[in-house]
Amino acid sequence: MRKREANYELLRIVAMLMIITLHYLDKGGILPQPESAYTGAGLTAWVLEAFCVPAVNVYVLISAYFLSAGDYRPLKVVRLWLQVFFYSAGIAAVLTLLGVIPFSQIDLYRAMLYLFPVIEEHYWFVTAYVLMYLLAPLMNDALFRLPEKTYRQGILLLLLFLSVSKSILPVKLPVDRLGYDALWFLCLYLIGVYVRRFEPRIRFALMGYVICSLLIFGSLLAVHAFYAKTGSLGDFINRQYQYNSIFCLLAAIFLFSAFRGVRIAEGKLSAIVCRAASASFGVYLIHEHIDLRYRWPDWLGTLRFADTPLFVPHWIVSMIGVYLACMSVDFVRQALFSGVGRIALHAQHADGANENGERRFL
C-alpha cells in the first residue's frame, strides 16, 4: 500500500469541497442561465463557479499521478464497484424505508440505476473513471518509454483536438462531450503521467490558477455582453466553464502544481488530513446520489439565502457541513468494509489451516 502524501490528500479535500460548491450553485438553483440577466447573487455564483470548475480535472490528475506509479491492482476496481454499489443501492433503500421515496416510483429503469450504477452511469464521473482505470495499465508501459519531446507533442496535438478547438470555435462540435466522458479522462491521465515522469516545474502556479479562473469568468462577461447586443453566440457564453475548455484545464494544472510544492510534515496534522481525505470519494457518492443531489440543497435552503448578505456565509457553512456529514457516514462504511474484510481473511486462514491439518492427517 502506498504511503499517502498529505499535500495531495489536502488537495483531494479541497477539490471535493469545490465539487460540492458546484453542486450547491447548480442543483441549488442559484447559478443563473448563461443568457439571462445577472443579479449580484448571479455574478457571485458565476465567480465561485469559475474558481471551482477545475476541481473535477484536478481530482482526475491526482488519481492519474498515483495510478501511473503503482502496480495495477484489479481488486481495486472490485472494491470501487462495491463502494459505489453500497451507496447507490443502500441510500435508495434507506430513503425508501423512511418514506422519502415512494416505493411506487421505483420502476425498472430506477432499479437498474441502483443495482448497476457503473454501467448505467448513475454517477457519470465513476463510469468515466472506471474506464480510465481499466485502460491505464495498457498505456503505462508505452508512456514511460516515450521520449519527452514526442510525449509532449502528442499531448499538445490531442489537446488541440479535444480542448483548444472547442474553446475558440463559436460553434457546437459534434465530438465535444464537454469533458463528461472517458476520452477526456484519458487525456487527463496522459497529463498526470507526464507530470509524474518528467516533473515539470511551474513557477507562480497559484497565480496561474487565479488568472485562469478570472479568465473563465471574464470570458463569460465578454460573450454575455456580445450576446445581449446581438443575440448571437448564446451557446458560447459559458464555454470556458466546461471541463475540457482550455482555461479550465490550465487552471486545474496550475492548482495541481501549486499543491505539489506544499509540504506538510508527518505528524498529527498530516494524519488528520489523510484520514479526512480517505472519505472524499464517499462524500461524492453520497451527496451526488440520484435521490439526494437535488434534495440536500433544498433541505439547506440555498435559494432562501441567494440574494441576501448571508449568501457567502451560508455557502461556506453548507459546503463544509456537507463534507463533514458525508465523511462521518463514509467512516462508518469504511469500518464495515474493514470488518468484513478481516472476517473473510480470518476464514480464509482458518480454511487453509484446516486443509493443511487434513493433509497431514491423511
Side-chain angles (χ1 to χ4, degrees):
M1 181 180 294
R2 72 170 178 84
K3 183 179 179 181
R4 289 182 177 270
E5 298 180 37
N7 57 326
Y8 292 109
E9 298 307 307
L10 178 60
L11 178 57
R12 203 185 298 273
I13 295 172
V14 170
M16 189 51 61
L17 289 171
M18 294 163 73
I19 289 171
I20 293 172
T21 297
L22 296 177
H23 298 153
Y24 174 95
L25 298 173
D26 181 24
K27 295 176 173 65
I30 299 173
L31 195 69
Q33 292 297 314
E35 65 276 7
S36 64
Y38 301 150
T39 63
L43 284 174
T44 303
W46 278 116
V47 170
L48 290 175
E49 185 88 356
F51 277 85
C52 292
V53 74
V56 173
N57 290 342
V58 169
Y59 209 90
V60 179
L61 286 174
I62 296 171
S63 298
Y65 185 78
F66 288 105
L67 276 175
S68 62
D71 296 329
Y72 178 62
R73 293 178 295 172
L75 283 179
K76 184 176 179 181
V77 178
V78 176
R79 288 196 297 269
L80 176 67
W81 183 89
L82 287 173
Q83 183 181 357
V84 176
F85 177 79
F86 176 86
Y87 285 121
S88 177
I91 291 175
V94 170
L95 293 179
T96 303
L97 290 173
L98 293 176
V100 177
I101 304 173
F103 185 77
S104 59
Q105 290 186 5
I106 303 179
D107 55 13
L108 178 60
Y109 169 74
R110 203 77 168 185
M112 292 288 287
L113 280 177
Y114 297 147
L115 299 176
F116 303 98
V118 177
I119 60 175
E120 285 289 337
E121 208 171 19
H122 184 144
Y123 307 92
W124 73 266
F125 178 93
V126 174
T127 302
Y129 180 86
V130 168
L131 288 172
M132 180 193 76
Y133 187 87
L134 292 174
L135 290 172
L138 304 179
M139 302 186 297
N140 280 345
D141 187 59
L143 294 179
F144 277 90
R145 292 173 183 269
L146 280 176
E148 181 178 5
K149 182 179 179 180
T150 305
Y151 197 160
R152 185 173 63 251
Q153 289 174 342
I155 290 177
L156 292 175
L157 288 173
L158 189 59
L159 290 178
L160 182 64
F161 181 78
L162 294 178
S163 181
V164 177
S165 59
K166 67 85 51 77
S167 299
I168 61 177
L169 297 176
V171 293
K172 188 173 182 179
L173 303 178
V175 296
D176 183 19
R177 298 293 182 271
L178 314 181
Y180 290 88
D181 60 345
L183 179 59
W184 178 244
F185 277 29
L186 288 172
C187 182
L188 292 171
Y189 186 83
L190 296 180
I191 296 172
V193 176
Y194 181 89
V195 173
R196 163 66 75 176
R197 182 180 170 192
F198 300 109
E199 299 186 353
R201 297 297 172 185
I202 301 177
R203 300 180 62 188
F204 311 111
L206 187 58
M207 184 182 299
Y209 159 71
V210 173
I211 291 173
C212 286
S213 298
L214 290 175
L215 287 172
I216 292 173
F217 178 64
S219 71
L220 175 89
L221 296 182
V223 182
H224 183 273
F226 182 83
Y227 171 80
K229 287 187 176 182
T230 66
S232 302
L233 299 183
D235 292 335
F236 198 72
I237 296 175
N238 64 333
R239 183 67 61 86
Q240 297 303 328
Y241 281 81
Q242 295 164 2
Y243 298 136
N244 59 349
S245 72
I246 191 61
F247 288 150
C248 184
L249 172 63
L250 290 175
I253 294 173
F254 280 127
L255 185 59
F256 180 78
S257 299
F259 272 80
R260 288 185 68 206
V262 174
R263 294 292 177 263
I264 302 177
E266 290 190 24
K268 189 172 182 179
L269 178 60
S270 174
I272 292 173
V273 168
C274 292
R275 184 74 176 104
S278 69
S280 61
F281 189 61
V283 171
Y284 169 76
L285 295 175
I286 296 169
H287 89 275
E288 187 57 8
H289 187 278
I290 192 171
D291 293 321
L292 289 178
R293 60 182 60 161
Y294 288 100
R295 281 187 167 90
W296 66 262
D298 183 56
W299 292 339
L300 293 174
T302 54
L303 280 177
R304 292 201 304 271
F305 295 91
D307 286 307
T308 73
L310 294 176
F311 170 37
V312 173
H314 184 267
W315 153 63
I316 294 174
V317 172
S318 298
M319 172 184 62
I320 297 174
V322 168
Y323 192 100
L324 292 177
C326 296
M327 180 183 71
S328 300
V329 174
D330 196 64
F331 283 167
V332 175
R333 194 272 315 166
Q334 290 180 29
L336 289 173
F337 276 36
S338 179
V340 171
R342 284 195 297 269
I343 292 172
L345 186 62
H346 178 74
Q348 183 179 5
H349 287 165
D351 289 343
N354 291 337
E355 183 179 347
N356 290 335
E358 289 173 1
R359 287 175 177 174
R360 285 196 299 269
F361 179 77
L362 292 173

